[in-house]
Amino acid sequence: MSDNTTDRFLGYLNWLFNPFHGLQTTEVYDLIGTSSLTEHALYLNLGYWRDADTIDEASEELALLVAKRGGMAPGDTVLDCGYGFGDQDILWARNIKPEKIIGLNITKSQVERARMHVADAGLGKSVNLREGSATEMPIENESVDLVVSVESAFHYRTREDFFREAFRVLRPGGRLVTADILPTENSDNLFRRIEQWISWNLVAGKFNIPHENYYLTPSYSNKLSNAGFINIDIASIRNDVYKPLHEYLSVNRTFVGKLHPLAKILAQLTLDRSAESVYCGLDYILSYAEKP
């Protein structure tokens, strides 16, 4: 084992067992590698389970829900921030056919795999996946109709910078849609509040959610408004995400075998606990906003 490999392994080991040690976002997703929760695709989202029976269906349903909420349509230029392996972009290109989809992602290993994925699908002309930051977008002013972020905005340093950049690149009348993770409102019960605190901080620590992004829905709305957005609408869909996902994965654990050995330990420990305990500190929102 080389020195670099040893250092990386020890870093991952520290990440798993040390509650005060986190990883950078790119390190988290390099650890996950090309594994995903899905069985037949490479989606990394948690899924929208209202009318879905499998993780593949739920992951597609979430991508389609985001597209529908944003009014994605033929002729649109879409900017997808944090596109993972590009599965949702392929889905949108095939089913909705926007004129162009541009993607930004900072994890190089995902960028390379996603580009191959798009090329294999024959969609290289309409889907342009780039390596770049959602908080410093290499995108021209007022050149995009729809900005979307599916389960990635909580990583950004900071989400407010992302809102400002999204506002800058959107044309007048453009829309911003996020599927995002926030903390839940604190319970009046002290023991429940402690459980919520543990739930949030474990997730925030392991998956690099900066403290600057720790706030509730009213603050989320205010920050969108401060960035210049109007017609803001934020809905919690947590009941159609966490519990059904947990129930499905507790029975169908095939994805666990695809994970890095250390990530596998964390997944198994999580699935052995109840959904109510694991996710009690996490809200899940679908957010919509418009540029005047």
Side-chain angles (χ1 to χ4, degrees):
M1 187 180 289
S2 69
D3 290 343
N4 286 341
T5 303
T6 300
D7 290 344
R8 189 180 303 115
F9 180 82
L10 291 176
Y12 288 158
L13 199 64
N14 194 23
W15 170 79
L16 178 62
F17 293 108
N18 181 354
F20 302 104
H21 178 75
L23 294 174
Q24 296 299 313
T25 301
T26 53
E27 293 176 317
V28 171
Y29 288 105
D30 282 337
L31 175 61
I32 294 172
T34 56
S35 301
S36 73
L37 299 178
T38 52
E39 297 174 8
H40 304 293
L42 290 174
Y43 284 103
L44 291 172
N45 72 62
L46 302 180
Y48 181 69
W49 291 83
R50 180 167 294 183
D51 298 309
D53 297 317
T54 70
I55 183 64
D56 294 86
E57 292 174 359
S59 295
E60 286 197 354
E61 285 297 314
L62 181 63
L64 292 172
L65 179 67
V66 167
K68 181 179 180 180
R69 187 66 188 91
M72 189 184 298
D76 280 347
T77 295
V78 178
L79 176 60
D80 182 12
C81 297
Y83 54 78
F85 295 111
D87 289 75
Q88 67 264 21
D89 303 297
I90 293 172
L91 179 71
W92 296 331
R94 285 175 171 169
N95 290 271
I96 303 175
K97 296 179 173 57
E99 182 175 340
K100 182 189 300 183
I101 298 175
I102 303 168
L104 294 178
N105 192 326
I106 63 170
T107 304
K108 188 172 183 180
S109 59
Q110 291 186 347
V111 174
E112 293 172 350
R113 181 62 182 269
R115 285 173 174 168
M116 293 172 56
H117 201 24
V118 167
D120 291 342
L123 295 168
K125 291 184 178 180
S126 59
V127 180
N128 178 6
L129 301 183
R130 307 175 185 176
E131 184 176 354
S133 171
T135 59
E136 296 180 5
M137 298 179 184
I139 305 294
E140 294 181 2
N141 293 349
E142 298 188 353
S143 61
V144 174
D145 299 293
L146 173 64
V147 175
V148 296
S149 177
V150 181
E151 287 183 29
S152 58
F154 49 82
H155 287 307
Y156 302 155
R157 291 184 183 274
T158 63
R159 195 189 276 121
E160 289 177 85
D161 291 328
F162 164 62
F163 291 161
R164 284 192 288 269
E165 279 290 86
F167 189 87
R168 177 182 65 81
V169 303
L170 281 169
R171 297 185 177 107
R175 297 89 64 201
L176 168 65
V177 177
T178 66
D180 209 350
I181 295 174
L182 299 179
T184 52
E185 187 172 352
N186 285 334
S187 169
D188 293 332
N189 182 286
L190 176 60
F191 295 103
R192 182 62 168 174
R193 194 181 309 162
I194 293 172
E195 193 173 29
Q196 289 174 320
W197 183 89
I198 293 171
S199 169
W200 172 262
N201 281 278
L202 281 175
V203 171
K206 298 308 178 190
F207 293 95
N208 193 31
I209 302 178
H211 183 72
E212 297 93 326
N213 292 343
Y214 178 86
Y215 42 80
L216 303 178
T217 296
S219 293
Y220 199 102
S221 180
N222 288 339
K223 292 176 189 300
L224 282 168
S225 180
N226 290 340
F229 288 100
I230 62 171
N231 296 332
I232 298 164
D233 179 70
I234 302 174
S236 175
I237 58 171
R238 73 182 307 275
N239 292 336
D240 291 309
V241 177
Y242 296 126
K243 185 177 180 181
L245 168 71
H246 194 86
E247 291 174 349
Y248 178 85
L249 293 180
S250 295
V251 176
N252 301 276
R253 299 197 180 196
T254 55
F255 87 99
V256 175
K258 300 187 292 182
L259 297 173
H260 184 285
L262 297 180
K264 185 185 300 185
I265 294 172
L266 182 62
Q268 290 173 332
L269 290 173
T270 299
L271 292 174
D272 287 338
R273 297 167 59 201
S274 71
E276 189 59 30
S277 174
V278 172
Y279 302 108
C280 65
L282 308 178
D283 201 354
Y284 193 109
I285 63 164
L286 185 67
S287 167
Y288 173 87
E290 296 175 4
K291 179 174 180 175

